[in-house]
Amino acid sequence: MIAYVESLLIFTGLAVILASSLNLMLGYGGMFSAAHAVFYGIGAYTTSLLALHVSASILLALPAAMLAGGVAGALLAVPALRVREEYFVVASLGFQIIASTIFNQWVAITGGIGGLTGIPPASFLSYEVDSYHGYLFVAALSVAGVLFALRLVVRSSFGRALRALRDDEVALRALGWDPTHLRVAAVVASTMLAAIAGVIYAYFTSFVNAESFSLDESVRIMVMVIIGGAGTLAGPVLGAAFITAFPALLSFLQVPSTALGPVQRVVYGVVITLLMIYQPDGLAGLLRRLGRRQSAAICR
Amino acid sequence: MIETGTILQLRKLSKSFGGNRVIADLDLTIEKARVTSLVGPNGAGKTTLFDLVTGFLVPEAGQVVLRGREITGMAPHRIAQEGIVRTFQGLRLFRSLTVLENVLLAVESDPGASTPSARRDLAQAALERAGVAELAGVRAADLSFAEQKFVSLARAIAKPADLMLLDEPAAGLDGPSLGRFHQIIRALVDDGRTVLLIEHNLDIVRRISDSVAFLDNGRLLAHGSPEEIFAIEELAALYFGDEAVL
Amino acid sequence: MQLLLQLAINGVAIGCLYALVAVGFAVIFGVTRIFHFAHGATYLLAAYGYYAAISIYRLPAPVGLVVAALVAVMFGLFCERFVYRPMLRSEASFLTMFVASFGLFITVENLIALVFGSGFTTLESSLSKGFFFGAFEVSPVGIIAIFSSIVLLLGLELFLVCTDAGTALRAMADSAELVQTIGLDRNRCAQIAFAAGSLLVVPAAVLNVSLSGLSPQSGTSMILVAMAATIVGGIGSLYGAALGGVLLGMAENVGIWRLPASWGDGIAFGVLLVFLLIRPAGIVSALHR
């Protein structure tokens, strides 16, 4: 039972990292990417390959995965930013599909559809992480690190420029900023952070295959950001928690397992559409509004 | 060949939209450390001219020369980095950001320049010059119209650029605000900056300008001191004649 | 060589179907500037509507066609009236509207999966059996696909150029603000655009069911290729969207001449990304309608 809860918490942590990093691109940068799972996968595959053939040291995997994720992010950003903003999503969809094809077909590197198995546990200096507690600790530390890094970014001049880009790109150009540089930087930062989740995933499950990094997963991450509330720091955390807990709730309610996927997604679809019409700020915005009403009541 | 005292030269500038000649064969020289006003009836092409100079539009013919360097057709952000700052008729403030953040962005676009605290000081100084220092923490979306105009000005002041292109910066301001505006502009010019402004309020134009350029239908009709320009009767007829302006 | 030509022919047939869906999407986007991702849901509803009518209720094919058309157009109108219009009124950003559209799509796709199952279905029909034309195998469905696409796209052209409604749509595509000043109702124009765009999907859906089978995932593939086609063809151009559709259909089929079949999807998007790198404006640069 404890292992189940710890496992759920670890996956929630990974979801928080993925949603928060996507939020940088989507919520702050205004770029709607349907390819985020690709970078999750790149982080996981990089870690696995290093662990299987070189060393299972997390001190090696983290920078390597982040570098790989960043380079791949640049590969997405450069073509995708050449079309008008509405079409960024199409370019990202194309990127996701091509990446899925590569993940599934490049047997030599990715193990093809079967994937890579037997990945050794993470090692940190001389210490091996091989328990649920251990991975929970690593996940928690990473979540804290990622959220802290994002907070720094949002408050920096770069973060300011991104927010200004959302408000008025023309004025930003007139002040001397290059919007393309900003967007590419946002994408690369975002994908580097996503890769971190992949590192932990690979070590924890000791098995990676393409199915975990498909369009379905990208959509799942997008849904987290949207429902939680894009453009805030708390939003993705709320969204990640909701999306991770919800399937568990459904199976607890004894929804048949074949219907589990579709039922979840119908609910997500309806929630998203309704949210966009009535409450685009998502759960975070809803809570903020309720909080204001509460404090107004108290003040009276 | 740089003439002393010239900061901006426009040579034979032309631009059309569809079949419409919006700027026609325009030659204009802007002197350093002066206030030049660009006047003319609506649709004369004044904002289009600003767009051509700052890179938001590319001319079909002609050159834009800044301090002896040709900048025709360069991207807007590159031109801004060359030392031109512009404001917009529609202000274009960053509505979800605070006043201070709006102004900080003007300073921070050149990251190599200086330390964060030096940049903050520059921003603060600009806010004070424009008289909006006490609004620093207010969100741009919550400002009144007049406050927005001065914040837009502060943003332009903060940018370390010695050529300022201001598009109707005083439009809609009342008497006291206009006086304040006048003082700020003269102080900027005394510091060595060059101001080129588009303005419809002829009173302001007369009082603030060192020289006036009159545009109509994309052509430069006259360029000289305010007294010279206002004395030309045909121009007055053009300005007030065929449409209910102002 | 013969295999290549065979694949090319198949590619043109499926390409024509992609072209119909792409042009439908382009009409809606061109007139209303709404990125109607749920267009893929329209496709699914038309396809499953037809399938249900034919296979489950055993109705004759023409009736099935009408059912599909009704469902598609009603869904398109529903989206415009009850999802997009309220959002436009509250001045939602493009991203917000796109996400809503996306939410609609996910809802419909998964409702269909719940009702019909997530599996892959095929529709047996005398039309899908191929016959030999010289050395090439051609299926009647393929011929009908090419023929009906041409007819429908010409019909659309006539509609846009010769009718009042069509002219109104073209005016709105040029400038939505001006359209109101000359007395046209933007909401009506939007409704017509959605109806027309959704209608174009119907033959593609019906024919594709016979040509390639049906599953809830078909909607995703379809809408992705349609959107990619509008980029490759040139955003803002209906001809471009059609051309893009045919091109991607051929690329997909011809691609498997040399590459393993499972690369199918990836090829179309490979073409898209190549275009993005070398000619982001598309084949037909915008403003040539």
Side-chain angles (χ1 to χ4, degrees):
Chain A
M1 182 57 194
I2 292 198
Y4 173 73
V5 170
E6 286 186 321
S7 178
L8 196 63
L9 285 174
I10 292 172
F11 281 112
T12 307
L14 295 185
V16 170
I17 293 177
L18 290 168
S20 299
S21 57
L22 177 62
N23 188 32
L24 185 62
M25 266 179 79
L26 199 160
Y28 291 100
M31 289 171 285
F32 203 86
S33 166
H36 214 55
V38 173
F39 310 101
Y40 184 28
I42 287 181
Y45 279 116
T46 307
T47 306
S48 310
L49 289 169
L50 282 173
L52 285 171
H53 303 290
V54 179
S55 140
S57 166
I58 200 172
L59 292 174
L60 176 62
L62 266 175
M66 287 176 74
L67 182 65
V71 168
L75 284 175
L76 166 65
V78 170
L81 289 172
R82 301 186 65 167
V83 274
R84 51 191 290 177
E85 61 168 317
E86 295 98 334
Y87 280 82
F88 184 89
V89 64
V90 182
S92 73
L93 278 166
F95 190 82
Q96 166 73 66
I97 294 197
I98 292 179
S100 281
T101 309
I102 295 176
F103 286 162
N104 272 311
Q105 305 297 332
W106 201 3
V107 184
I109 298 278
T110 66
I113 300 182
L116 300 171
T117 58
I119 298 160
S123 75
F124 178 71
L125 302 174
S126 50
Y127 183 74
E128 221 181 51
V129 186
D130 58 0
S131 67
Y132 279 72
H133 301 324
Y135 282 106
L136 185 57
F137 180 70
V138 171
L141 211 61
S142 306
V143 168
V146 167
L147 288 178
F148 184 69
L150 282 171
R151 194 159 175 275
L152 282 179
V153 167
V154 168
R155 283 165 189 232
S156 71
S157 72
F158 171 68
R160 235 192 311 277
L162 268 188
R163 285 186 293 139
L165 192 59
R166 251 188 338 194
D167 282 349
D168 199 320
E169 181 171 333
V170 170
L172 199 59
R173 268 184 219 257
L175 291 178
W177 292 88
D178 183 352
T180 307
H181 281 180
L182 285 173
R183 291 194 167 110
V184 172
V187 172
V188 169
S190 179
T191 59
M192 284 175 72
L193 291 174
I196 295 177
V199 173
I200 301 175
Y201 178 81
Y203 284 132
F204 179 56
T205 62
S206 61
F207 164 63
V208 296
N209 85 331
E211 211 183 309
S212 318
F213 314 118
S214 64
L215 181 60
D216 272 345
E217 179 65 19
S218 283
V219 168
R220 210 175 133 251
I221 303 171
M222 275 198 292
V223 169
M224 285 182 217
V225 176
I226 295 166
I227 291 187
T232 64
L233 287 171
V237 178
L238 291 170
F242 178 74
I243 299 294
T244 318
F246 190 62
L249 177 67
L250 283 182
S251 54
F252 181 71
L253 292 175
Q254 303 194 319
V255 173
S257 57
T258 44
L260 208 59
V263 168
Q264 267 179 63
R265 287 192 282 270
V266 169
V267 173
Y268 296 157
V270 171
V271 169
I272 289 177
T273 308
L274 289 176
L275 272 178
M276 288 304 110
I277 300 178
Y278 299 109
Q279 179 75 30
D281 295 335
L283 284 176
L286 191 66
L287 287 176
R288 214 181 307 142
R289 216 158 291 200
L290 287 175
R292 248 182 258 151
R293 236 177 273 158
Q294 275 278 48
S295 45
I298 294 172
C299 287
R300 253 186 287 126
Chain B
M1 185 199 75
I2 308 175
E3 299 160 34
T4 46
T6 300
I7 188 170
L8 182 72
Q9 257 183 314
L10 307 179
R11 299 185 193 140
K12 303 234 168 298
L13 220 51
S14 290
K15 179 70 178 173
S16 313
F17 290 125
N20 221 6
R21 215 69 182 326
V22 176
I23 297 287
D25 232 20
L26 196 131
D27 287 299
L28 182 61
T29 302
I30 303 295
E31 299 291 312
K32 246 187 263 195
R34 308 276 193 78
V35 179
T36 305
S37 290
L38 210 56
V39 302
N42 284 335
K46 308 187 288 295
T47 301
T48 309
L49 194 62
F50 270 22
D51 287 339
L52 286 169
V53 171
T54 54
F56 285 97
L57 287 175
V58 182
E60 291 153 355
Q63 301 164 304
V64 179
V65 180
L66 179 69
R67 289 185 220 95
R69 268 194 64 181
E70 182 166 351
I71 61 170
T72 327
M74 274 168 65
H77 63 270
R78 293 275 319 280
I79 292 185
Q81 284 161 5
E82 291 284 320
I84 302 186
V85 67
R86 78 169 283 184
T87 63
F88 296 88
Q89 235 179 310
L91 299 182
R92 291 190 174 267
L93 293 181
F94 305 119
R95 296 176 56 84
S96 65
L97 271 54
T98 66
V99 167
L100 180 60
E101 288 176 321
N102 264 272
V103 174
L104 271 172
L105 281 170
V107 187
E108 288 167 336
S109 61
D110 185 11
S114 40
T115 68
S117 60
R119 294 201 282 267
R120 231 159 239 266
D121 290 338
L122 268 174
Q124 194 60 37
L127 285 174
E128 274 159 26
R129 278 194 105 152
V132 289
E134 72 279 4
L135 296 172
V138 180
R139 251 172 44 124
D142 299 331
L143 295 171
S144 74
F145 176 74
E147 289 169 338
Q148 284 183 37
K149 295 223 84 142
F150 282 103
V151 170
S152 162
L153 192 56
R155 204 168 62 172
I157 294 173
K159 183 119 183 61
D162 50 356
L163 175 56
M164 302 177 73
L165 267 52
L166 308 177
D167 199 339
E168 299 202 38
L173 291 179
D174 63 12
S177 300
L178 281 174
R180 198 172 127 206
F181 172 73
H182 185 148
Q183 283 183 320
I184 297 172
I185 299 294
R186 287 263 44 119
L188 288 171
V189 170
D190 290 339
D191 276 348
R193 298 219 213 180
T194 310
V195 174
L196 174 60
L197 53 101
I198 294 177
E199 195 42 71
H200 275 292
N201 182 330
L202 297 182
D203 221 23
I204 278 268
V205 169
R206 205 188 311 254
R207 287 194 288 152
I208 208 177
S209 320
D210 297 310
S211 86
V212 176
F214 194 103
L215 244 70
D216 185 37
N217 265 322
R219 291 182 186 282
L220 180 69
L221 294 187
H223 185 188
S225 73
E227 298 74 38
E228 289 167 7
I229 301 297
F230 289 136
I232 303 176
E233 286 174 8
E234 294 84 6
L235 294 182
L238 267 172
Y239 201 84
F240 296 107
D242 52 303
E243 51 188 37
V245 107
L246 301 172
Chain C
M1 190 55 199
Q2 178 178 321
L3 181 60
L4 183 60
L5 280 175
Q6 175 73 65
L7 287 171
I9 294 175
N10 293 356
V12 171
I14 188 101
C16 285
L17 298 184
Y18 285 156
L20 283 173
V21 180
V23 172
F25 180 82
V27 166
I28 294 174
F29 184 71
V31 174
T32 66
R33 291 283 178 278
I34 295 176
F35 202 85
H36 183 48
F37 194 89
H39 197 55
T42 313
Y43 173 85
L44 275 178
L45 286 167
Y48 273 92
Y50 178 74
Y51 170 75
I54 303 283
S55 279
I56 299 177
Y57 294 101
R58 304 250 167 244
L59 297 167
V63 177
L65 196 62
V66 172
V67 168
L70 277 173
V71 170
V73 171
M74 275 174 26
F75 179 70
L77 292 175
F78 168 82
C79 291
E80 191 280 322
R81 178 72 187 79
F82 293 105
V83 179
Y84 300 130
R85 210 188 293 182
M87 294 182 77
L88 282 171
R89 232 182 286 136
S90 58
E91 289 188 10
S93 72
F94 143 76
L95 210 58
T96 310
M97 293 190 46
F98 169 79
V99 172
S101 191
F102 181 73
L104 274 170
F105 175 76
I106 296 187
T107 307
V108 170
E109 180 188 49
N110 287 282
L111 276 175
I112 287 182
L114 282 175
V115 172
F116 292 94
S118 312
F120 185 79
T121 347
T122 47
L123 201 61
E124 261 308 307
S125 124
S126 53
L127 290 177
S128 13
K129 293 206 178 56
F131 59 89
F132 280 88
F133 185 76
F136 300 110
E137 181 177 355
V138 184
S139 74
V141 180
I143 296 183
I144 298 176
I146 299 175
F147 184 66
S148 51
S149 308
I150 296 176
V151 167
L152 277 160
L153 290 176
L154 279 177
L156 179 70
E157 178 77 11
L158 283 172
F159 169 71
L160 287 174
V161 174
C162 302
T163 66
D164 283 343
T167 310
L169 290 190
R170 282 187 298 131
M172 187 148 155
D174 264 342
S175 168
E177 292 83 27
L178 285 182
V179 147
Q180 280 190 301
T181 61
I182 60 176
L184 284 175
D185 182 355
R186 279 167 76 164
N187 289 332
R188 281 283 277 150
C189 287
Q191 291 255 303
I192 297 173
F194 270 88
S198 304
L199 198 59
L200 282 171
V201 157
V202 177
V206 166
L207 290 167
N208 206 22
V209 172
S210 314
L211 204 57
S212 320
L214 183 66
S215 80
Q217 286 73 39
S218 316
T220 313
S221 309
M222 246 321 164
I223 187 64
L224 294 188
V225 176
M227 295 192 298
T230 55
I231 297 183
V232 167
I235 298 169
S237 161
L238 297 183
Y239 288 125
L243 200 59
V246 174
L247 199 74
L248 288 177
M250 286 191 61
E252 233 177 48
N253 273 49
V254 169
I256 58 183
W257 180 48
R258 279 283 174 259
L259 297 164
S262 44
W263 286 71
D265 276 343
I267 295 171
F269 287 100
V271 173
L272 171 65
L273 286 183
V274 167
F275 260 89
L276 285 175
L277 286 170
I278 58 178
R279 197 184 156 85
I283 298 175
V284 180
S285 287
L287 304 178
H288 288 284
R289 212 146 314 157

